[in-house]
Amino acid sequence: MEEPIPEATQRSRGKLFLILSAVALIVALAGGVTGNAALLGPGVIGLLAMLAIYFQIHSTLKIFAFTFWVFAFFVAALFYPSVFLTWGSFEQKRLIVPLIQLIMFGMGATLSLTDFARALRMPKAVGIGIVLQFSVMPVAGWGIATSFGFDPEVATGVILIGACSGGVASNVMAFLAKGNVALSVTMTACSTIVSPLMTPLAMKLLAGRLMEINVWDMMISIIELIILPIGAGLVTNAMLHTKMPARIWRSTALLFAVSFFALGFSGVVESIDVILARQMGPLAVALLLMALLRKEWLEHGLPLVSMVGICYIIAIIAANNQEKLLTVGAGLFAAALLHNCLGYFLGYWGARASGVKESDARTVAFEVGMQNGGMGTALAMEVLKSPSAALGPAIFGTWMNISGSTLASWWKERPLDGALEAASG
């Protein structure tokens, strides 16, 4: 078992990264004052990265570390877009879909079939959350996109993120805010299950006049990009907790991984079914991870892979939209703030008005207010074929981590109303 880092060591490391942050800030200020981009870029990126590491070390600020890493990658893409555009002749935006599939696999690996079964024991809260998720949030996205006057592609992306299912980050926020984590996981699972029907329907009704929306293609893509990888994660979770000897299921996983790699490169599967063929690579990687890594490494490593993947995806999207971001970036952040806060408000008070207890209402607030940015990004790139439409999901996803962390920290310090809990429970 890994020994905890002594508190004195943590403090000394924290001071070191605060000093490095101060140095980076001085460099950034010098670059800004002199107009020297060679100093400004590295200074700002270094400042964000050093603060991210400092927050990671600091126990009470740890929840903000990921947000600062996202900003570090985002700023790096704006200053040095070529780094995130191509490797030789290979366009890095082609990595977005496989990365999202891997992230969804990681999400599935945190779930089990019992998470879906819980919906039967908590029908009121789950039902309220899903209704608000797929009615209020898409309509709010449409209203905000229209009011802000975004061009059709960007506006479609804003509506798209509102029409997506709940994001897995809401589970962490619910835990920090003294919410009902079991309910949060269940709501995320259930909203994901109904998303192949509800997301394309909402997009057709609200965004059909802005861009061509093929409901069938979007439905199939959600199944392909979101449902199947999550399903593979569910199987992985079950295998990791099975009583079967580890050497047997590891050997089986390795055999299937090699087989899927072979099928993927052979082209045989693609000639039969393109959708199935595109699952071969992600499934092979997932099985290879199962076969080679210990259970503890998977449980701790997959969240890390997901965080790095999200940061990299945001950087790729920012690099592909550098010029547009300079004109609509501020407006998109304002739209994200408004849309997100509206989700929290309606989720919480909608749940409370229905007689749901305080801890569950906090959970519903996060589920309604925080959407699956990865899903929105994947659909924008894969179905809409529009990097501009992917801007909304990317920026909204960034903001949701900031607001979710802040709200969770605030709620954490506010005790649950015991009297209301007892009356509602």
Side-chain angles (χ1 to χ4, degrees):
M1 184 175 179
E2 187 179 347
E3 291 292 329
I5 300 173
E7 187 175 344
T9 304
Q10 290 184 5
R11 285 199 301 268
S12 63
R13 290 180 180 178
K15 289 179 181 178
L16 171 62
F17 285 106
L18 273 182
I19 292 171
L20 291 175
S21 300
V23 172
L25 176 60
I26 293 170
V27 172
L29 290 174
V33 170
T34 61
N36 188 342
L39 291 177
L40 180 61
V44 175
I45 296 166
L47 173 63
L48 292 169
M50 292 303 103
L51 287 174
I53 296 173
Y54 171 73
F55 289 149
Q56 187 68 38
I57 295 171
H58 201 291
S59 57
T60 59
L61 298 173
K62 194 172 183 178
I63 57 174
F64 296 103
F66 175 58
T67 300
F68 274 79
W69 278 122
V70 168
F71 274 119
F73 274 79
F74 182 80
V75 171
L78 293 182
F79 276 102
Y80 309 106
S82 61
V83 175
F84 301 97
L85 291 176
T86 59
W87 293 332
S89 60
F90 178 79
E91 294 185 339
Q92 293 184 53
K93 64 183 179 182
R94 293 172 58 186
L95 293 172
I96 291 176
V97 169
L99 282 172
I100 287 173
Q101 287 177 303
L102 188 58
I103 291 167
M104 292 301 107
F105 168 78
M107 174 181 171
T110 66
L111 301 173
S112 67
L113 292 177
T114 57
D115 295 323
F116 295 89
R118 287 197 194 100
L120 300 176
R121 300 197 295 271
M122 298 180 283
K124 180 189 283 188
V126 172
I128 291 168
I130 290 179
V131 168
L132 291 172
Q133 182 84 59
F134 290 108
S135 59
V136 170
M137 299 311 286
V139 171
W142 173 83
I144 290 169
T146 303
S147 300
F148 276 69
F150 295 130
D151 68 53
E153 291 189 26
V154 174
T156 300
V158 172
I159 298 170
L160 176 59
I161 187 64
C164 286
S165 60
V168 71
S170 60
N171 307 156
V172 178
M173 304 308 173
F175 170 74
L176 294 171
K178 299 179 181 177
N180 185 335
V181 179
L183 173 61
S184 180
V185 173
T186 302
M187 290 180 66
T188 300
C190 291
S191 66
T192 302
I193 287 295
V194 301
S195 64
L197 175 62
M198 299 306 298
T199 299
L201 178 61
M203 287 299 294
K204 185 66 175 179
L205 292 173
L206 298 172
R209 294 183 179 180
L210 300 174
M211 289 184 69
E212 182 179 353
I213 307 294
N214 188 310
V215 172
W216 178 253
D217 284 353
M218 185 168 287
M219 185 181 299
I220 294 300
S221 291
I222 292 173
I223 294 172
E224 174 190 355
L225 301 173
I226 310 299
I227 303 298
L228 290 181
I230 288 176
L234 277 168
V235 173
T236 300
N237 181 290
M239 293 293 288
L240 288 173
H241 295 89
T242 186
K243 294 182 179 179
M244 183 188 303
R247 65 179 183 277
I248 295 178
W249 63 257
R250 286 183 187 278
S251 300
T252 304
L254 182 59
L255 176 62
F256 275 101
V258 173
S259 301
F260 285 161
F261 271 125
L263 287 170
F265 282 112
S266 69
V268 173
V269 180
E270 188 170 4
S271 64
I272 301 171
D273 191 322
V274 175
I275 293 176
L276 182 60
R278 291 168 61 176
Q279 298 299 317
M280 292 295 101
L283 285 174
V285 171
L287 288 165
L288 194 60
L289 289 172
M290 284 179 60
L292 300 180
L293 299 180
R294 292 167 54 189
K295 174 183 172 181
E296 294 78 10
W297 294 352
L298 278 173
E299 290 177 343
H300 293 89
L302 283 175
L304 178 61
V305 170
S306 296
M307 288 191 291
V308 173
I310 291 169
C311 290
Y312 196 63
I313 288 168
I314 288 173
I316 294 173
I317 292 171
N320 278 274
N321 291 276
Q322 183 197 36
E323 293 184 5
K324 182 163 285 190
L325 273 171
L326 296 176
T327 58
V328 302
L332 274 173
F333 267 108
L337 186 154
L338 181 59
H339 186 263
N340 184 224
C341 291
L342 186 64
Y344 292 147
F345 180 83
L346 292 175
Y348 178 81
W349 288 109
R352 292 299 282 169
S354 302
V356 171
K357 61 185 180 180
E358 171 73 13
S359 60
D360 290 356
R362 293 182 182 186
T363 304
V364 173
F366 284 118
E367 289 300 319
V368 174
M370 301 184 73
Q371 285 74 49
N372 190 333
M375 175 180 172
T377 301
L379 294 176
M381 298 296 294
E382 188 70 7
V383 180
L384 303 180
K385 310 293 184 184
S386 172
S388 294
L391 274 176
I395 289 180
F396 276 53
T398 302
W399 167 253
M400 282 186 284
N401 281 289
I402 299 172
S403 65
S405 302
T406 304
L407 181 58
S409 298
W410 184 73
W411 259 333
K412 183 180 180 180
E413 301 303 321
R414 294 178 65 84
L416 297 171
D417 188 330
L420 286 176
E421 293 286 83
S424 303

